[in-house]
Amino acid sequence: RTCKLAFAPVWELTAGGLRVGPNSSGPKDKSFSRLLPLYSTPEEGYTIANDELAALYVHALFAARDRNLGILEANFVSLPARLLALVHRDGLQIAADLEAGSLHADLAARLDPATCQALEQRLGGPNPERAAQVREAVLANGGEKKGLAKRVWPDLQLVLANGTGAFATYAARLR
């Protein structure tokens, strides 16, 4: 399974009336829905608009739920780096959410109630066993960041993202 890091696109209009937005594939693309069964994040996670941090947390939560995750995928390596920084910083909260089988109150308050309800259904109820594994991975080696990805996802094989040019510093952090 893959954690595909993508967000609901936000389009803006310039003063001259030109649309400005993302140039990469995303959840609104026609073919995206066919790929959803391959992704750890459910469809509702890709509908979160105007709150990228909440959407990133949802990606991290559903990725952490899957011990057998094999790929972290994004257009640019800065997103997997941000995801892993979030897991490092908020891993204990992620574990608590997995243990409870629900989204914590601060996150739930930021989401549309229907989206929140759908995401909680997709969590599939409390998962104390996986929560304990995530908690252990986050706290291992005194909370050391190095090696965190492989501790959370022992079967992780690939970070699929552009890591060249301006993104080389992010790629170096992931190594």
Side-chain angles (χ1 to χ4, degrees):
R1 192 162 271 221
T2 298
C3 175
K4 170 68 171 173
L5 298 171
F7 303 99
V10 177
W11 291 89
E12 297 178 2
L13 284 177
T14 66
L18 294 174
R19 283 179 8 131
V20 177
N23 71 344
S24 56
S25 65
K28 301 255 179 184
D29 294 346
K30 292 176 188 173
S31 62
F32 196 86
S33 63
R34 289 190 304 226
L35 298 172
L36 279 170
L38 303 174
Y39 300 150
S40 56
T41 304
E43 182 176 11
E44 296 83 2
Y46 292 103
T47 66
I48 300 168
N50 300 316
D51 192 341
E52 192 172 302
L53 186 57
L56 189 62
Y57 184 91
V58 167
H59 283 301
L61 175 63
F62 280 90
R65 181 175 162 256
D66 186 355
R67 184 181 186 347
N68 300 314
L69 190 82
I71 300 172
L72 292 176
E73 178 183 350
N75 292 327
F76 303 105
V77 76
S78 54
L79 278 177
R82 287 180 53 211
L83 177 95
L84 290 170
L86 186 146
V87 171
H88 182 252
R89 183 188 68 234
D90 297 336
L92 296 179
Q93 182 62 63
I94 289 169
D97 287 356
L98 290 171
E99 191 165 41
S102 61
L103 306 176
H104 64 277
D106 290 342
L107 177 64
R110 293 164 61 180
L111 300 177
D112 173 76
T115 300
C116 182
Q117 182 180 11
L119 289 169
E120 287 187 341
Q121 274 189 315
R122 297 286 195 138
L123 277 173
N127 190 340
E129 180 181 341
R130 183 60 183 145
Q133 293 168 350
V134 170
R135 194 174 292 113
E136 182 180 326
V138 169
L139 295 174
N141 302 333
E144 172 74 30
K145 195 173 188 177
K146 184 176 176 146
L148 176 63
K150 287 295 276 184
R151 291 193 307 267
V152 174
W153 302 290
D155 295 331
L156 186 66
Q157 298 297 311
L158 177 66
V159 174
L160 181 60
N162 178 353
T164 61
F167 298 101
T169 56
Y170 291 101
R173 277 191 234 161
L174 290 180
R175 290 186 182 100

